[in-house]
Amino acid sequence: MGRPKFSTIFSANNHHNLPYSNPISQSLVDKTNTQKDGFLYSIFRLLRRFMSANKIDGGSRTVEEEKMYSWLYALAQSEKDLVFEYVHSTERGLSFTEAERRLRENGPNVPSEYSSPRWWILLWNAFFHPFNIILIVLSALSFISMDILNGFIMLTLVSISVSLRFYQEYSSSKAALKLSEFLRCPVKVQRCAGRVVQTELIVQVDQRDVVPGDIVIMEPGDLFPGDVRLLSSKHLVVSQSSLTGESWTTEKTADIREAYNTPLLDLKNICYMGTDVVSGTGTGLVVSTGSSTYMSTMFSKIGKRRPPDDFENGLQHISYILIAVMLIVVTIIVITDYCTSHDLSESLLFGISVACALTPQMLPLIVNTSLAKGAIAMARERCIVKSLTAIRNMGSMDILCIDKTGTLTMNHAILVNHLDCWGIPKEKVLYFAFLNSYFKTEQKYPLDDAILAYVYANGFRFQPSKWRKIDEIPFDFIRRRVSVILETESNAEDRHFQFLSRFMITKGALEEVMRVCSFIEHVDGREVSIFSSDDYQRILNLGEELSNEGLRVLGVARKKLKKHTRQMSDGSMTNDENFETNMVFLGLITFFDPPKDSAKQALWRLAEKGVKAKVLTGDSLSLAIKVCKEVGIRTTHVITGPELELLNQDSFHETVKRATVLARLTPIQKLGVVQSLQTVGNHVVGFLGDGVNDSLALDAANVAISVDSGVSVAKDFADIILLEKDLNVLVAGVEQGRLTYGNTMKYIKMSVIANLGSVLSILIATLCLKYEPLTPRQLLTQNFLYSVGQIAIPWDKMEDDYIKIPQKWSERGLPMFILWNGPVCTVCDVATLVFIWLYYKATIVADTSFFHTAWFIEGLLVQTLIIHLIRTEKIPFVQEVAAWPVICSTVVISAIGIGIPFTPIGEVMGFFPLPLSYFGFLVVLFLGYFSIGQVVKRLYILVYKRWL
């Protein structure tokens, strides 16, 4: 991925690029000593910026982040008049000429500009892998030596590996480019024109053309085109869900000076690029655009490399080891063979054959087949796998970071209780709340459905047919309440007139409902009294207690209107007053988003498999704790985003390590938590998210998981997409990942041990004999049959104990595994060499074809049967038996290898029919081979506490 091109708008060493920068604003941003502004110090700062921007450390900010934070806090604490000085603007706005000049110098106003790598660069990166180079070189040598079939096989394997990796890298690079298209909308800007007398004009420009210093006019539905310091506001309510992930809105006001300890996203006089106006109006001064905005600083982390993949690094190390061994061993073999045969071309051909035998040619096919098989299995669980490597990473995952809403909870509210002013359940509160929800027609909300469902499900008979709706005052984000005016019949002595009682029923945010109440109903419901300050505080405390329990609280009030409507026989009607004042407070209704029935079981199953869950949410801490307790997540260590901001780097890492619930997190904080777990905690981290605010953490996580209902950006960055939000699907994915990882490790360890052992045996035999132990054609045939036999490994099974714990690549694991188990194969080959030499000595001297045949069969059987010794820590064929595809593969390849010498093909290849005595020796040899191998295995497990 390309690096984002940061603007130089706040760079301390680029004053000449900014006509509107000045010493005041620069000192606010950089806070540097002017005496240090020399060439050497500039170089130092440049290096520090470069190093910081590329450092992956969840507990520290980059220089760009520190500048952005300092800049916004300085503006939030300043008077409006001073803000104009900081960006060199005026109360009339910028002139058209000045705006055009700033646009040319700073470039288009987009969150971040990404230069996607060219396709050929991605293709080269996919191609340039040591293992691929080995196969390509060997295939070229095979073509030169006229071994066409072997050359084509190796080129095919390279093509599969390169194509899959190129496709994944290309798809990932395209995903980040979509972020630059995230904001495209027209913006109303105040500009000034005229040479003598300047006139203020309101013009509409594209969001890309907005520059710092512009004054923007915001109305409901508008997106903020940059980071904005408010100049005026009228009932301005803003949604910051694109940054926080939460649907709750926040009120913004221009007439305030913020404190420095206020969390960044809680600043009331600062609005951020990408957020939108829900209601109200306002004007603001654009203070940051392009790559200097909060959103751009957030998105600029997109595309940074994830922590190194230990598995991929391990494969590269294997490749380097194989190259080194190949150069040494093959050189010795070629020289030794040439000294005896004096045929350089034949010796080179034999050396190429040995190099092919040393290379685990089927590794790309085995790895990709295992991953593809895992993807198919997860598809049956309604899970789409975009990146095959994510399946393997799921097997190594030991921490899963999840959001609360929709993942642990059902994402819809249920009514919990209806309480009066003293916290006592009362049906009357529910009755009037029901009437409000039943008759409101504008902006139906899930809470209304929850009230209606509760009433119907519990058999209440409130008879709404006795009421008639007169009017409605709909909900808005300023009042945060909704009122309906209803009529019901009253008893009347005069039958010619029908008297109607008219009520206003109000429901909404607790504080907003109490604000319009002047009276309170007594506990018995028969009398009302003045709403005193003690009553107000008592109800406020009750609401806070309920909120701390994770409940959503609404207030309910009513008012019997003073005037009545007399409905005459002609149907005429007069209007009543409908003001929300002097109401009677009735009580509270509480709601809860219940946890999913499957969540607790799924988390328990994940914990059984060594995967710890951490909840990362932008919601309130109390609500997160309530849900986590319901599903069995420990809440002894919890923290909020604002509290994390106050910690130093070491405390940050330690807190993240211990905390299980992290609430009120910003997107950058979610990213910091994930990176801290990866780098300091050395964990393999999965992240489940579905919003724009989750894109940072998704991009950084080892396993990025989203849902089909998530936003497109989140799905673009996800490796795995769930067709339903069910954690049980992830449990199946973890099991499949460990199965895939285990089968891949079987092949890697088995093939490296078998190949190195075989080549070492060939080296010993070549040094001892005066001819080649196998001809090049025989050696390539043996290697081909062995490789084909390993195709069944992805269909093998794993032991239950292996699936229970996360599996990670160990840097020392493979070398030590080879040192312990490799000699076992060589001992068998050397034993065969000694047996043939001593028992069939006369035959060896007379005819080399006998030795070739015996060595071919023994070597093929050792390489084929080794899978059964390696695949399990138990006794093979006794305590543990492989899956039937592996058994069938072993039988078929062994039968073909034994049968070839007795066929015309064997005669063409120079083989000789062997006596039965030799096969009797092979039975004894393999009994000893498995016995010695099992002893070495138990000693290895005793020392290292694990096998695969």
Side-chain angles (χ1 to χ4, degrees), residues 142 186 514 530:
S142 298
M514 288 195 296
I530 300 297

Side-chain angles (χ1 to χ4, degrees), residues 471-475 479 481-484 504 578-580:
D471 201 356
E472 175 178 350
I473 307 176
F475 178 88
R479 294 165 40 255
R481 57 182 178 264
V482 58
S483 298
V484 293
M504 172 181 288
N578 56 2
F579 299 103
E580 296 171 320

Side-chain angles (χ1 to χ4, degrees), residues 232-274:
S232 65
S233 60
K234 182 178 180 181
H235 306 309
L236 184 62
V237 178
V238 175
S239 171
Q240 298 185 157
S241 60
S242 60
L243 302 180
T244 64
E246 299 304 318
S247 58
W248 312 123
T249 57
T250 180
E251 296 182 20
K252 298 285 185 176
T253 179
D255 301 322
I256 189 174
R257 292 181 63 183
E258 291 284 6
Y260 192 79
N261 58 355
T262 304
L264 187 68
L265 294 183
D266 290 344
L267 296 175
K268 295 294 185 182
N269 56 7
I270 300 291
C271 298
Y272 304 93
M273 172 183 270

Side-chain angles (χ1 to χ4, degrees), residues 774-916:
L774 287 175
T775 66
R777 181 179 298 177
Q778 292 167 351
L779 184 58
L780 290 173
T781 302
Q782 183 190 70
N783 188 54
F784 175 76
L785 289 174
Y786 155 71
S787 299
V788 171
Q790 311 314 314
I791 294 178
I793 290 178
W795 283 266
D796 196 15
K797 58 185 179 180
M798 293 299 301
E799 299 171 17
D800 293 339
D801 292 340
Y802 188 87
I803 303 293
K804 287 181 179 179
I805 58 175
Q807 302 298 331
K808 297 181 181 180
W809 182 280
S810 173
E811 291 184 3
R812 297 182 56 195
L814 185 59
M816 298 309 298
F817 193 89
I818 294 172
L819 289 176
W820 277 73
N821 295 275
V824 178
C825 295
T826 304
V827 167
C828 289
D829 292 338
V830 172
T832 303
L833 174 64
V834 172
F835 176 77
I836 298 174
W837 202 338
L838 295 178
Y839 193 80
Y840 300 106
K841 184 174 182 180
T843 308
I844 291 176
V845 175
D847 189 4
T848 58
S849 61
F850 180 87
F851 184 86
H852 287 165
T853 307
W855 189 270
F856 174 85
I857 292 177
E858 184 271 341
L860 178 62
L861 292 180
V862 167
Q863 290 181 316
T864 303
L865 292 174
I866 192 176
I867 178 61
H868 298 279
L869 183 65
I870 298 297
R871 64 172 298 277
T872 176
E873 63 180 52
K874 299 178 181 178
I875 301 175
F877 304 113
V878 178
Q879 295 178 321
E880 176 69 15
V881 180
W884 68 266
V886 177
I887 295 291
C888 292
S889 172
T890 302
V891 172
V892 170
I893 297 301
S894 300
I896 292 174
I898 295 173
I900 282 180
F902 301 93
T903 64
I905 297 176
E907 185 176 348
V908 172
M909 295 184 64
F911 287 140
F912 182 87
L914 297 174
L916 290 177

Side-chain angles (χ1 to χ4, degrees), residues 337-397:
D337 187 70
Y338 177 72
C339 291
T340 56
S341 66
H342 302 288
D343 187 345
L344 182 59
S345 61
E346 183 68 20
S347 299
L348 289 175
L349 182 60
F350 182 63
I352 295 172
S353 303
V354 173
C356 292
L358 182 60
T359 307
Q361 301 175 21
M362 301 301 290
L363 181 58
L365 184 61
I366 295 295
V367 171
N368 292 318
T369 302
S370 298
L371 296 176
K373 180 178 175 291
I376 294 173
M378 292 184 68
R380 298 193 192 102
E381 301 288 339
R382 296 183 58 78
C383 182
I384 299 172
V385 179
K386 291 174 57 184
S387 174
L388 293 180
T389 56
I391 300 176
R392 184 181 64 238
N393 289 336
M394 285 193 75
S396 304
M397 180 177 70

